[in-house]
Amino acid sequence: MPEIRLKNITKKFGKFLAVDNLNLNINDREFVTLLGPSGCGKTTTLRMIAGLETPTEGEIWIDNKLVFSSEQGIDVSPDKRDVGFLFQNYALWPHMTVYKNIAFGLENLKWKKDKVEERVIELLQMLKIEEFSGRYPSELSGGQQQRVAIARTLATGPKVLFMDEPLSNLDAKLRMEMRTELKRLHVETDSTFVYVTHDQLEAMTLSSKICMLKEGLLQQFDPPLEVYHNPGNAFVADFVGSPNINLLEVTGNNTNLDEVLLNCKELELMYTPVSSSLTVQENQKLLLGIRPEDITIEEGGKLKGIVYSTLPSGMETIVKIDFNGIILTSVVFRGTDFQVGKEIAVNFHENRYILFDAENGKNMGQGELSAL
Amino acid sequence: MNLRNRFKSFIRKPHNIILVTMAVVLVYLTVIPLFTIIMDTFKVHSSELMRIKGSQVGDLTLYHWKQVLFNPANSGKIFYEPFMNTMGISAGTCLFAILVGGLFAWLVTRTDIRYKNLISTLFIFPYIMPSWTLAMAWLNFFKNDLVGGVPGFFTSLTGISTPDWFAYGPFPIVIVLGMHYAPFAYILIGGILRNMDANLEEAALILKANRFKIMWKVTIPIVLPAMLSTFLLVFSSAMSAFAVPAFLGTPVRYQVLTTQMFRTLNGLNPGYGYLMALIMILIGVFILAMNQKIIGKRRSYTTITGKSSNISLIRLKAIRTPLSVLLMAMILLVCILPLVSFAVESFIMEPGNYSLTNFTTQFWIGSGSPQIANGEPGIFRNSSIYTGFFNSVKLSVLVAFIAGTLGILAGYAIVKRKNSRLSTAVNNLAFFPYLMPSMAFGAIYLSMFAARRGFIPPLYGSFALLVLIGAVKYLPFASRSGVSAMHQLSNEIEEAGTIMGISWFKRMTKIIIPIQKTSFLSGYLLPFISCMRELSLFILLVTPSTRILTTMLFQYNEKGWNQYANAINLMIVGIVVLSNVIVNKVTGASVDKGIGG
Ligand SMILES: Nc1ncnc2c1ncn2[C@@H]1O[C@H](COP(=O)(O)OP(=O)(O)O)[C@@H](O)[C@H]1O
Ligand SMILES: [Mg+2]
């Protein structure tokens, strides 16, 4: 049973199109991230599902209930959608103590006093903030405020939890820690999470599905590894992954049976699609996508280049290699370093190099690659 | 979405309901009066029947326009001369206010001057006190024998007779109004200086620019919008000031638009008065439009982050103590001395005689004797003064409550829907009463509500009319502080409650208002204070049963019962200053926020 369904959702601010005809099915207990550069409409989308923003067109279903329909004039108010919302700036009420912040929503539901207390204490323990219950938000650090905000959102036990870049105000170390916590919470609370971020690493590590947006348009909606290895288009390929994917501008021509000969300056590569065959026009402009980890540096490699720069970080080393003016990024998962200016040789062993149409960026297929 | 659904979702949001309601009510209470004024400039009024031969009341006529604007023989005296005087006075007042207020603001925020807290508190007193306070004090000190009666302290003490230009007319008017509005400049410019990122100045300092250059190239350009804002606000306020020019200009027949308006509205040519009011309103609207064009867009609320800038203060070194003392003395001179003079004047039997034997408590606690002031009992035994006092307080509390509450709602709704046309319209409508000259506003309400209008019963002579006009007139202060308070509150603070199912009323009373209570309280304070000391707005509307302290003061003054006038003035100043200090100390609210700081 799909838990949240968006049908042809469109949002305009005046003439400006913030979200363009978005269709999305989010299943029960999924952890979905809305990913995209800043300004692409992630927050707007989330706010529309929560009921804080009114879509211009479309339908929204939550738990098989139509909560918004522009056609039928249905617009269920946010509190009746049984959702929780975690705001980017936490939005804690500065004049209430931590305890009161969490208890306020419950008291509003006319819970008995001892029940409220029980629930608040449970949440305080769950988020490890018991000792702060008497403090005011301004007396807490960013990470502690974040936990209070989470506790407050969880208090009423919403079935769906929306989070808008909840970790962006934390420092790198805390962010790491909170990521783990959030994943644990997702399991513990047994609810659906919809999470907004512009950080691809966060999206990759946290979610069960990534919804990739660009300028209000859906680009891809798939599990993280699928998005990573089989991106729908060059934009998605470029957005996920760090270090970035190598996108090589090439011209392609069909040769032999269904192989494609790729040319980039003096470089010549032979491309063999793995699944269906691939037809290109004569000298069609293409983009060849090569993930850095799919370039293997080895002695006796077919393609020879010169080390341009290296970034060793201990766990891995990012090497930029100059092949006669074409610079490719490779990554090596060893604590080794290379000498800049030295000659080096590489091979392409994988079968997931991607060709994109240079005109519209569409993924044309995956395949093997060999240097000539 | 179709229209019906759009309407349904529009009307479900409380802020939309507030905006629509306010738009309708404010159009009725501010735009309709404007049209009434326009109509009145083309109409024959009953007192004009003699002049406009063969006409009947209500006939359309171009008489007023011709006489006021296009009659070479009369227009100069009636209109152009007072108009030029008004412009001159307003411009001079602006310059004086910005110079004095800006200098004090700069000294307090940027140098190591002493007594900063005391200066900050006392400097806004001239604004809190009724504007004529300083005018009366000026006369008490510098009156010469032009008007007859006893000369002021200065002449009594030194024997030197002050020249007319010094005692009366534009010079003292500019100084008195300038002092009255200098707090505007102090608050607005001081606010910017305090919130402005000190890094900007420090960056320049590192580049080895000298202090003067920093001031000229960095500080001044940054405070320029605040200066302009001050200029425009003060200009329109000074333009509609009535009491000060009336006190200081009348002895030398120096007329400005407001005094002309009072004469004509009260006298034989209301049509002239309405035309002058209309012109003043148009100038006000023009100023508002300019204000918005110049700074409206650029005014950024995000600068108010509460970051404490720890810029190194300029050391005044050797002149620190002398300068501090000098400033303090100036402030005390302006704030305290007038009060002392009122107190003294209210205790002396025969004006001008300051010997100890002439002192009497007659005018405070005497039971009244037939020889003095028609047997009027002393202040504390005078039932009509008690009536006036309670009316004043009741009126001010009611007006403050209504204006302040509407200001919160307006601020909430305006910010909630910001950038929409409706919200801009309501924002401007709520500010519009500020531009209405009080006297003309009063005259219009008088004629508008004399008869039953729709479901509104005739209000003439009723207390409700005073409350209504006061609430509308002071809404601008309240809505300004409401808007600035809401701008500082992120939208999510409320949405966090919305999504939990907390009702709108509870969100307002339990979340929004408690968080911004200081700012909102300021929205109550300024209307209270302004109402307590308002004269020209109510002067045409009060009746014996609804009289208030200020109109009584005016009456006593006209009758020449100087001691009562001084005593009442002292009472008004006392109430106003005391309530300001108490509210300020207890809640932290201050008039600053209503002005826009
Ligand atoms: N209330 C609004 N009025 C006008 N434009 C808006 C409003 N909210 C968002 N936008 C615009 O819509 C676009 C998408 O915004 P948003 O959803 O906040 O982006 P994201 O969260 O992905 O950074 C942005 O270009 C933003 O400027
Ligand atoms: Mg966002």
Side-chain angles (χ1 to χ4, degrees):
Chain A
M1 268 289 107
E3 176 79 55
I4 300 172
R5 239 181 316 156
L6 271 63
K7 272 198 199 160
N8 306 331
I9 285 294
T10 297
K11 175 71 188 178
K12 287 181 191 159
F13 291 110
K15 289 212 171 65
F16 178 77
L17 197 55
V19 174
D20 190 2
N21 200 21
L22 182 63
N23 286 288
L24 216 56
N25 281 0
I26 298 173
N27 290 323
D28 201 13
R29 287 179 207 157
E30 254 181 337
F31 194 138
V32 170
T33 28
L34 304 180
L35 176 66
S38 151
C40 70
K42 308 179 296 285
T43 299
T44 309
T45 306
L46 200 65
R47 288 170 56 84
M48 285 191 294
I49 310 176
L52 295 171
E53 198 89 62
T54 315
T56 316
E57 295 286 344
E59 277 181 10
I60 299 173
W61 299 72
I62 296 180
D63 201 14
N64 277 328
K65 197 174 119 200
L66 185 60
V67 294
F68 178 85
S69 164
S70 58
E71 293 274 299
Q72 299 171 47
I74 294 172
D75 189 2
V76 176
S77 64
D79 55 300
K80 306 240 162 52
R81 297 189 183 189
D82 196 17
V83 297
F85 203 111
L86 197 60
F87 295 94
Q88 185 169 3
N89 56 11
Y90 315 143
L92 293 176
W93 297 312
H95 61 305
M96 296 183 188
T97 59
V98 167
Y99 183 96
K100 185 78 181 163
N101 259 287
I102 302 171
F104 192 62
L106 300 172
E107 287 166 0
N108 185 59
L109 292 176
K110 305 256 165 6
W111 280 30
K112 290 235 172 55
K113 210 168 172 223
D114 48 334
K115 290 276 250 189
V116 171
E117 192 171 340
E118 203 178 298
R119 176 73 177 144
V120 174
I121 288 174
E122 183 191 340
L123 284 160
L124 288 170
Q125 279 167 353
M126 183 161 149
L127 288 146
K128 308 190 189 90
I129 43 174
E130 296 119 294
E131 70 256 48
F132 307 122
S133 90
R135 291 209 201 164
Y136 286 92
S138 58
E139 300 162 347
L140 300 177
S141 72
Q144 291 157 354
Q145 289 183 23
Q146 176 66 268
R147 284 164 188 271
V148 177
I150 295 174
R152 182 180 68 176
T153 312
L154 291 177
T156 50
K159 276 188 293 194
V160 187
L161 212 65
F162 299 119
M163 288 171 271
D164 189 359
E165 313 216 12
L167 308 186
S168 62
N169 290 340
L170 302 181
D171 60 55
K173 202 156 164 257
L174 258 177
R175 214 179 300 166
M176 206 50 201
E177 194 184 310
M178 284 308 294
R179 267 186 222 152
T180 321
E181 295 272 308
L182 282 178
K183 221 161 178 175
R184 185 177 62 87
L185 270 178
H186 179 231
V187 178
E188 270 179 38
T189 55
D190 211 19
S191 42
T192 309
F193 278 25
V194 184
Y195 187 99
V196 160
T197 180
H198 65 265
D199 179 345
Q200 57 90 22
L201 185 61
E202 222 163 88
M204 290 296 295
T205 49
L206 287 177
S207 41
S208 59
K209 251 179 162 183
I210 291 179
C211 167
M212 183 79 212
L213 293 168
K214 178 197 176 190
E215 289 165 13
L217 267 170
L218 178 65
Q219 307 291 309
Q220 191 167 7
F221 185 47
D222 277 316
L225 289 180
E226 177 72 10
V227 171
Y228 185 81
H229 288 301
N230 197 10
N233 58 39
F235 170 79
V236 177
D238 192 39
F239 198 85
V240 291
S242 172
N244 280 19
I245 192 168
N246 295 292
L247 282 176
L248 217 52
E249 289 176 27
V250 295
T251 52
N253 286 293
N254 280 95
T255 51
N256 305 336
L257 257 175
D258 55 14
E259 289 179 334
V260 185
L261 180 68
L262 303 175
N263 287 295
C264 178
K265 295 188 185 164
E266 284 140 50
L267 193 63
E268 282 203 326
L269 297 164
M270 189 57 79
Y271 183 85
T272 321
V274 281
S275 45
S276 55
S277 66
L278 190 86
T279 319
V280 297
Q281 277 130 38
E282 202 182 318
N283 282 333
Q284 186 177 352
K285 291 212 178 329
L286 300 165
L287 288 172
L288 172 64
I290 309 171
R291 290 276 173 209
E293 67 272 24
D294 295 343
I295 301 178
T296 316
I297 299 175
E298 56 189 14
E299 270 179 46
K302 270 201 206 155
L303 195 60
K304 293 197 170 47
I306 290 170
V307 177
Y308 182 75
S309 77
T310 72
L311 297 169
S313 72
M315 186 174 73
E316 61 185 28
T317 302
I318 299 166
V319 194
K320 284 193 188 275
I321 310 166
D322 186 348
F323 300 98
N324 259 335
I326 300 163
I327 294 177
L328 294 181
T329 309
S330 159
V331 64
V332 185
F333 296 97
R334 263 173 287 129
T336 48
D337 198 0
F338 300 87
Q339 203 182 334
V340 174
K342 232 181 105 177
E343 203 183 63
I344 204 169
V346 303
N347 266 329
F348 302 100
H349 290 306
E350 305 294 333
N351 59 359
R352 54 188 187 208
Y353 304 97
I354 310 161
L355 270 190
F356 300 99
D357 186 335
E359 290 225 331
N360 55 23
K362 283 237 172 70
N363 182 336
M364 298 172 75
Q366 289 180 311
E368 294 169 358
L369 200 61
S370 60
L372 295 181
Chain B
M1 242 200 284
N2 65 36
L3 221 58
R4 209 179 109 249
N5 294 342
R6 283 245 292 269
F7 178 74
K8 257 167 69 184
S9 83
F10 176 86
I11 210 74
R12 241 205 352 242
K13 311 223 169 72
H15 57 262
N16 288 332
I17 299 177
I18 295 173
L19 284 178
V20 171
T21 316
M22 285 219 157
V24 173
V25 172
L26 286 175
V27 162
Y28 184 73
L29 290 175
T30 65
V31 178
I32 305 252
L34 179 65
F35 278 101
T36 322
I37 290 185
I38 296 174
M39 285 313 296
D40 272 322
T41 66
F42 292 108
K43 258 193 213 149
V44 178
H45 304 87
S46 57
S47 56
E48 291 155 352
L49 287 177
M50 303 278 284
R51 288 166 177 259
I52 311 167
K53 302 244 156 49
S55 65
Q56 300 207 320
V57 173
D59 281 357
L60 286 184
T61 176
L62 287 175
Y63 178 80
H64 312 305
W65 285 80
K66 274 197 200 130
Q67 292 295 319
V68 171
L69 294 178
F70 306 112
N71 182 341
N74 289 335
S75 300
K77 259 284 159 283
I78 295 175
F79 177 73
Y80 290 108
E81 206 175 285
F83 175 80
M84 290 318 289
N85 288 345
T86 291
M87 294 295 120
I89 293 278
S90 305
T93 300
C94 283
L95 278 182
F96 190 91
I98 288 176
L99 231 61
V100 173
L103 181 69
F104 271 78
W106 183 79
L107 283 170
V108 167
T109 55
R110 287 292 186 270
T111 70
D112 64 344
I113 195 114
R114 291 176 201 274
Y115 322 123
K116 281 186 182 176
N117 282 335
L118 205 54
I119 291 179
S120 291
T121 313
L122 287 180
F123 195 80
I124 51 172
F125 274 29
Y127 180 68
I128 295 171
M129 297 192 290
S131 60
W132 63 76
T133 306
L134 288 174
M136 273 174 92
W138 188 277
L139 288 181
N140 280 351
F141 280 93
F142 299 119
K143 214 165 23 176
N144 63 20
D145 46 19
L146 181 74
V147 284
V150 276
F153 285 141
F154 181 79
T155 308
S156 306
L157 287 179
T158 61
I160 306 167
S161 181
T162 49
D164 284 349
W165 66 263
F166 184 83
Y168 315 105
F171 176 73
I173 294 178
V174 163
I175 290 192
V176 164
L177 280 178
M179 277 316 296
H180 184 62
Y181 291 115
F184 268 51
Y186 180 79
I187 289 166
L188 290 170
I189 297 173
I192 297 276
L193 283 178
R194 213 161 293 156
N195 285 320
M196 125 185 190
D197 198 344
N199 294 338
L200 293 175
E201 284 176 50
E202 271 160 5
L205 202 60
I206 289 165
L207 295 174
K208 300 218 170 23
N210 65 35
R211 287 280 182 187
F212 182 74
K213 221 170 177 177
I214 294 176
M215 181 93 179
W216 190 245
K217 295 261 159 143
V218 182
T219 315
I220 297 258
I222 288 173
V223 298
L224 204 61
M227 280 185 170
L228 267 171
S229 189
T230 313
F231 189 90
L232 300 168
L233 276 178
V234 173
F235 195 94
S236 59
S237 305
M239 198 171 68
S240 54
F242 165 70
V244 173
F247 271 105
L248 293 171
T250 320
V252 287
R253 298 213 176 71
Y254 185 79
Q255 297 289 355
V256 294
L257 284 180
T258 46
T259 54
Q260 274 298 65
M261 233 161 71
F262 184 63
R263 277 158 41 121
T264 51
L265 281 176
N266 257 349
L268 296 175
N269 290 99
Y272 290 10
Y274 289 122
L275 183 48
M276 289 177 208
L278 179 63
I279 290 167
M280 284 174 65
I281 292 170
L282 290 182
I283 297 172
V285 170
F286 174 73
I287 287 172
L288 174 68
M290 255 184 20
N291 192 14
Q292 283 196 336
K293 207 174 161 90
I294 297 170
I295 47 164
K297 291 275 183 307
R298 262 195 290 169
R299 178 171 177 152
S300 151
Y301 289 88
T302 51
T303 52
I304 308 167
T305 52
K307 257 189 307 186
S308 64
S309 48
N310 42 6
I311 189 170
S312 50
L313 298 174
I314 295 176
R315 297 252 175 77
L316 295 172
K317 294 181 192 146
I319 59 164
R320 182 179 181 203
T321 303
L323 191 64
S324 307
V325 170
L326 186 72
L327 290 190
M328 217 44 228
M330 266 177 70
I331 289 179
L332 289 178
L333 204 70
V334 172
C335 296
I336 308 295
L337 212 55
L339 304 188
V340 174
S341 91
F342 300 142
V344 169
E345 296 285 336
S346 71
F347 279 110
I348 54 175
M349 189 58 111
E350 180 200 336
N353 177 355
Y354 299 105
S355 67
L356 221 55
T357 51
N358 193 35
F359 273 65
T360 173
T361 54
Q362 168 73 32
F363 302 103
W364 286 95
I365 52 171
S367 57
S369 64
Q371 301 96 320
I372 310 157
N374 286 350
E376 190 85 2
I379 300 281
F380 288 128
R381 293 195 174 193
N382 194 325
S383 66
S384 66
I385 288 187
Y386 277 108
T387 315
F389 173 78
F390 284 120
N391 277 343
S392 268
V393 173
K394 190 166 82 175
L395 178 63
S396 306
V397 167
L398 280 172
V399 162
F401 179 75
I402 296 173
T405 309
L406 290 179
I408 294 176
L409 293 176
Y412 169 80
I414 287 166
V415 173
K416 203 74 188 165
R417 246 191 103 84
K418 60 171 171 254
N419 300 331
S420 77
R421 247 179 278 153
L422 181 62
S423 141
T424 314
V426 171
N427 196 11
N428 285 335
L429 275 175
F431 190 72
F432 189 59
Y434 189 88
L435 306 173
M436 283 263 192
S438 302
M439 185 109 46
F441 206 33
I444 284 303
Y445 269 45
L446 187 62
S447 68
M448 232 176 106
F449 294 104
R452 164 176 283 276
R453 291 183 77 89
F455 62 94
I456 306 170
L459 289 176
Y460 175 67
S462 72
F463 196 70
L465 184 57
L466 301 186
V467 175
L468 179 71
I469 196 170
V472 176
K473 179 70 189 171
Y474 298 120
L475 181 62
F477 295 130
S479 75
R480 275 176 80 109
S481 64
V483 166
S484 87
M486 286 303 302
H487 265 297
Q488 290 165 2
L489 203 65
S490 86
N491 202 16
E492 285 91 5
I493 290 276
E494 188 193 355
E495 285 173 344
T498 312
I499 209 149
M500 282 183 192
I502 292 158
S503 67
W504 178 78
F505 186 76
K506 225 169 166 185
R507 293 200 301 270
M508 290 302 283
T509 54
K510 290 279 166 74
I511 297 176
I512 292 177
I513 295 176
I515 294 176
Q516 287 295 35
K517 58 175 184 292
T518 312
S519 299
F520 287 138
L521 266 173
S522 313
Y524 288 94
L525 182 61
L526 200 49
F528 175 83
I529 286 172
S530 310
C531 196
M532 206 57 216
R533 52 149 213 232
E534 178 66 63
L535 171 66
S536 41
L537 185 67
F538 301 123
I539 195 165
L540 302 173
L541 300 176
V542 290
T543 56
S545 68
T546 61
R547 66 176 138 206
I548 54 175
L549 283 181
T550 49
T551 57
M552 292 179 76
L553 177 142
F554 197 71
Q555 283 165 354
Y556 281 122
N557 208 45
E558 279 189 325
K559 286 185 192 155
W561 299 349
N562 217 10
Q563 296 88 340
Y564 290 102
N566 275 301
I568 292 178
N569 206 5
L570 200 60
M571 264 169 82
I572 295 175
V573 174
I575 296 170
V576 160
V577 168
L578 207 67
S579 46
N580 180 55
V581 170
I582 290 173
V583 171
N584 191 219
K585 284 279 168 290
V586 174
T587 68
S590 68
V591 295
D592 306 13
K593 303 211 166 70
I595 294 171

